[in-house]
Amino acid sequence: MIILVINSGSSSLKYQVREGDDVLAEGLVERIGEAEVPDHAAALDRVDRDVAEALGDRAIDAVGHRVVHGGERFSEPVLIDNEITRAIERLNPLAPLHNPAAVTGIRAITEKWPGLPQVAVFDTAFHRTLPERAWRYAVPDELYRKHGIRRYGFHGTSHAYVARGATELLGADTFTGVIAHLGNGASVTAVRDGESIDTSMGFTPLEGLVMGTRSGDVDPSILLFLLREGYSEQDLDTLLNRSSGLKGLAGTNDMRSVADAAEAGDDRAKLAIEVAAYRLAKYVGGYHVAVGGAQALVFTAGIGENAGAFRAAVVEKLGALGLELDAGENGRRSKEPRVISTPASAFPVLVVPTDEEAAIAEATAAVVGGTS
């Protein structure tokens, strides 16, 4: 089955065409809304040309969409129809930067290829197994009932994919442990028997770890203080989501640049790595307790897979758990899943590459195949 995977942004459209494990075509259309690409329909025309060139006489069988927020309704991928599209649209207030773009992409494909099956794959779905003690905020119940204010978690497609990969690498029947998805956005998840039981991101992807441009956890009173100091809602949104994290501490959100600067002796860069590593280590320690003893600690995504020095900075703070990295394995670059800890480590430390597009394509094929 040939699957077109779509990841729609407000001004971009990332795509990949897959047949099983084979990537037949991929690309990114940017600057949607400008003269050359006025809307998502025009972006799809460009995708159509590129895909047609790659496929020749073959045709796409289905489209899988990454949808960031599925709220409480969606706990698994679903075949899209008009009602599902409207349901996703009703969740726009929970993910104003992401869901509207997904809806736009869905509608553009519906208009261009009305008979083509489409599947929504939700970032939040994997975390629908969180127990209430983990997803509840200690705020008045009416905020949950009226506004849906609770912890949802994100990066679920990646965490689920990596949990399966870790299970295979360990030769286990199921996975119990801690997964750190570390990219420009970053989250850590506690997995017990293959299910998410806690995760660092919350009502939005802002909560939790230090990220590329996001602050992660802060005292909410800081926001009240800044409001009284004259900051607007937009100012605070920009501050916390686009100007904080590594960028706020070191001046750049690129971990490679931060690591190079730290190696050259830059004190701001050294501090940024220390703050980010310490925050992650605290979460790992807490989630080790949450799962009742981790089977493994897993690093994934761009930073998790490639930044050996950052992995080492995290693990050296976890000495109380008995973790010990193999310096040679940790420093080696590889695209294959691997163990990077020594035999003396209390439990393995793994690197398992993520592939969210593969996971979305697999889920799409399963849904479409199950309805045919």
Side-chain angles (χ1 to χ4, degrees):
M1 184 177 289
I2 298 177
I3 307 293
L4 171 62
V5 176
I6 293 288
N7 187 346
S8 295
S10 59
S11 61
S12 66
L13 190 152
K14 181 181 179 183
Y15 71 92
Q16 191 175 91
V17 180
R18 302 184 68 100
E19 184 176 33
D21 293 332
D22 296 330
V23 177
L24 307 179
E26 59 184 337
L28 175 67
V29 181
E30 299 182 285
R31 298 183 178 178
I32 297 174
E34 298 184 11
E36 291 187 8
V37 192
D39 52 29
H40 281 70
L44 282 173
D45 286 339
R46 182 175 296 184
V47 172
D48 189 19
R49 291 195 299 270
D50 294 344
V51 171
E53 184 176 335
L55 295 182
D57 294 334
R58 306 166 76 195
I60 294 167
D61 297 303
V63 180
H65 293 267
R66 178 200 178 210
V67 180
V68 166
H69 216 307
E72 291 193 301
R73 171 169 178 177
F74 297 108
S75 58
E76 59 187 7
V78 295
L79 191 68
I80 295 171
D81 56 21
N82 288 336
E83 195 279 326
I84 293 295
T85 303
R86 290 192 295 270
I88 295 170
E89 190 170 37
R90 286 194 292 272
L91 294 167
N92 283 359
L94 297 182
L97 299 179
H98 299 93
N99 274 36
V103 170
T104 300
I106 290 167
R107 287 190 167 135
I109 285 181
T110 300
E111 182 175 343
K112 186 172 183 61
W113 298 305
L116 195 62
Q118 298 186 71
V119 173
V121 181
F122 300 93
D123 273 10
T124 50
F126 182 60
H127 302 298
R128 291 289 287 115
T129 53
L130 262 61
E132 188 168 0
R133 65 176 180 268
W135 61 253
R136 273 280 184 177
Y137 288 115
V139 295
D141 185 58
E142 66 178 301
L143 296 183
Y144 165 60
R145 289 185 287 103
K146 185 176 180 180
H147 301 291
I149 294 178
R150 52 157 288 178
R151 303 183 70 251
Y152 291 98
F154 299 88
H155 291 147
T157 305
S158 173
H159 285 294
Y161 181 90
V162 171
R164 293 195 300 271
T167 303
E168 293 176 7
L169 182 59
L170 295 169
D173 294 327
T174 187
F175 178 73
T176 293
V178 183
I179 300 173
H181 173 110
L182 309 177
N184 192 53
S187 65
V188 58
T189 293
V191 179
R192 185 166 62 208
D193 296 329
E195 294 187 341
S196 173
I197 64 164
D198 206 347
T199 192
S200 58
M201 285 180 168
F203 180 65
T204 74
L206 179 59
E207 186 179 356
L209 303 178
V210 175
M211 306 178 220
T213 62
R214 298 179 193 141
S215 65
D217 296 336
V218 296
D219 180 346
S221 292
I222 294 171
L223 309 185
L224 301 178
F225 171 82
L226 292 176
L227 282 171
R228 290 192 292 266
E229 289 295 305
Y231 282 69
S232 68
E233 175 189 349
Q234 184 58 51
D235 291 336
L236 294 178
D237 181 83
T238 299
L239 175 71
L240 296 177
N241 280 296
R242 296 175 174 81
S243 303
S244 294
L246 294 178
K247 185 176 182 181
L249 292 170
T252 176
N253 64 314
D254 188 326
M255 176 59 85
R256 292 165 297 186
S257 298
V258 176
D260 289 344
E263 184 70 21
D266 186 287
D267 288 336
R268 289 180 64 196
K270 290 180 183 178
L271 178 63
I273 290 174
E274 275 296 296
V275 171
Y278 178 65
R279 178 82 59 84
L280 175 54
K282 286 199 298 182
Y283 267 97
V284 171
Y287 286 174
H288 174 63
V289 173
V291 301
Q295 184 182 16
L297 167 62
V298 188
F299 289 96
T300 193
I303 294 171
E305 294 169 27
N306 299 302
F310 184 73
R311 292 193 299 260
V314 174
V315 174
E316 72 180 14
K317 294 172 175 54
L318 296 168
L321 300 185
L323 299 186
E324 183 180 298
L325 287 187
D326 180 309
E329 277 300 313
N330 184 50
R332 185 170 67 88
R333 300 294 290 271
S334 173
K335 294 183 178 180
E336 298 300 316
R338 66 193 192 278
V339 178
I340 60 171
S341 52
T342 69
S345 187
F347 52 86
V349 181
L350 315 177
V351 174
V352 178
T354 191
D355 191 336
E356 292 176 273
E357 285 77 19
I360 291 168
E362 180 184 319
T364 299
V367 170
V368 173
T371 59
S372 61

